[in-house]
Amino acid sequence: AKSSPGLTLILAASVPLLGIGKNNALPWRLSGEIKYFKQVTTRVDPSCPEKPNAIIMGRKTWDSIPARFRPLPDRINVVLTRGNQAAIDTTTSGKDNVLVASSLDDAIDKVGQKAAHIFVIGGAQIYCQALDHPLTQRILLTEVNSTDPEGVAPIDCDTYFDKFPWYPQSAVKPTSKDGGELQWKRQSYEDLKQFVGDQVTSLQPGPIAEKAYTYEFTLWERMA
Ligand code: FOL
């Protein structure tokens, strides 16, 4: 993957357990948050204005996006599958911005030269693979809190980003195998603002209230 851009994970996850899904869908519907996802993954990087961005997703995440919305416009959509590639409709819709790959490395080989930024958009299996990938440099994590009046009801999820031991309240802590050092570090809001750029008008310092939730946009960077 010569001179390919680094990988950025983007996800919204519940606090503190990092729930990301329920019944192969998002656990919530937060219009300001999905607008941020759309703006961040679509925005044209001024230092690379001729290139679109790429989004890499697993086959189950592809399935979770309503057929009428996919492929997501103005981004190169790459769908990972070990199975039947014909099951992913890349042609009949008349859209030419979708391709299929058999692994993360295969996906990077296919879009690395064509894309300004590569975003990994899930789901849990793909986030785990990407977290272990040497090209992964940052995580755009939206922390979602419930504002349930009881203050105790956790957000109902069946899928978790549970391999991120650096998260402050994760059930799993970094082990001495990792050198006992923090490999991932939360960066400041200013750093996040600088990374996403001026076109992302939905970026705000959090927490932001919507429905029965508050959410906050955060940036994490790999230190080693
Ligand atoms: N990351 C974050 N921060 N929030 C998310 O909701 C999110 N969702 C996924 C991956 N990373 C995320 C995967 N699920 C669409 C639907 C589901 C989905 C990702 C994207 C989608 O339809 N997006 C449209 C905008 C839809 C709208 O405006 O309502 C797009 O063009 O991006």
Side-chain angles (χ1 to χ4, degrees):
K2 181 173 163 288
S3 79
S4 88
L7 299 183
T8 298
L9 275 60
I10 183 165
L11 69 153
S14 72
V15 172
L17 294 175
L18 301 182
I20 60 169
K22 171 78 180 172
N23 297 330
N24 207 34
L26 298 171
W28 42 71
R29 175 151 176 84
L30 297 171
S31 62
E33 209 292 314
I34 198 84
K35 184 177 179 193
Y36 171 82
F37 168 89
K38 181 176 187 169
Q39 288 188 331
V40 168
T41 55
T42 306
R43 73 118 183 175
V44 174
D45 188 326
S47 70
C48 229
E50 73 285 2
K51 290 182 177 177
N53 297 325
I55 53 177
I56 300 176
M57 73 196 90
R59 194 266 307 162
K60 290 182 195 169
T61 294
W62 170 263
D63 286 346
S64 79
I65 300 171
R68 65 186 182 281
F69 293 140
R70 69 192 193 212
L72 298 182
D74 307 313
R75 287 148 284 183
I76 306 170
N77 291 226
V78 189
V79 185
L80 300 185
T81 177
R82 299 188 201 92
N84 179 12
Q85 309 214 345
I88 294 150
D89 172 20
T90 60
T91 50
T92 59
S93 59
K95 311 270 175 68
D96 64 356
N97 63 325
V98 53
L99 45 110
V100 171
S102 58
S103 69
L104 213 44
D105 281 321
D106 184 30
I108 296 164
D109 283 343
K110 283 177 166 144
V111 297
Q113 319 290 326
K114 291 186 210 160
H117 290 280
I118 304 177
F119 295 96
V120 175
I121 72 160
Q125 290 183 45
I126 311 304
Y127 288 137
C128 279
Q129 292 176 29
L131 203 59
D132 286 338
H133 198 283
L135 283 175
T136 299
Q137 294 169 340
R138 55 182 72 78
I139 301 173
L140 292 168
L141 169 66
T142 305
E143 299 179 335
V144 182
N145 272 280
S146 168
T147 56
D148 177 271
E150 300 301 313
V152 288
I155 302 170
D156 192 17
C157 298
D158 62 17
T159 310
Y160 296 83
F161 184 49
D162 53 4
K163 296 283 162 46
F164 190 55
W166 298 273
Y167 191 71
Q169 297 175 78
S170 165
V172 193
K173 295 294 179 199
T175 63
S176 54
K177 183 169 147 281
D178 304 308
E181 280 168 50
L182 292 186
Q183 238 189 321
W184 285 91
K185 204 172 166 219
R186 185 173 167 164
Q187 306 297 119
S188 68
Y189 177 76
E190 280 309 310
D191 292 332
L192 170 59
K193 195 172 166 58
Q194 190 169 4
F195 175 69
V196 303
D198 294 335
Q199 299 158 64
V200 177
T201 57
S202 52
L203 177 64
Q204 293 176 56
I208 299 158
E210 189 175 338
K211 296 183 177 166
Y213 303 94
T214 62
Y215 54 88
E216 180 165 356
F217 303 123
T218 73
L219 169 67
W220 293 67
E221 281 183 356
R222 177 169 259 162
M223 295 293 109

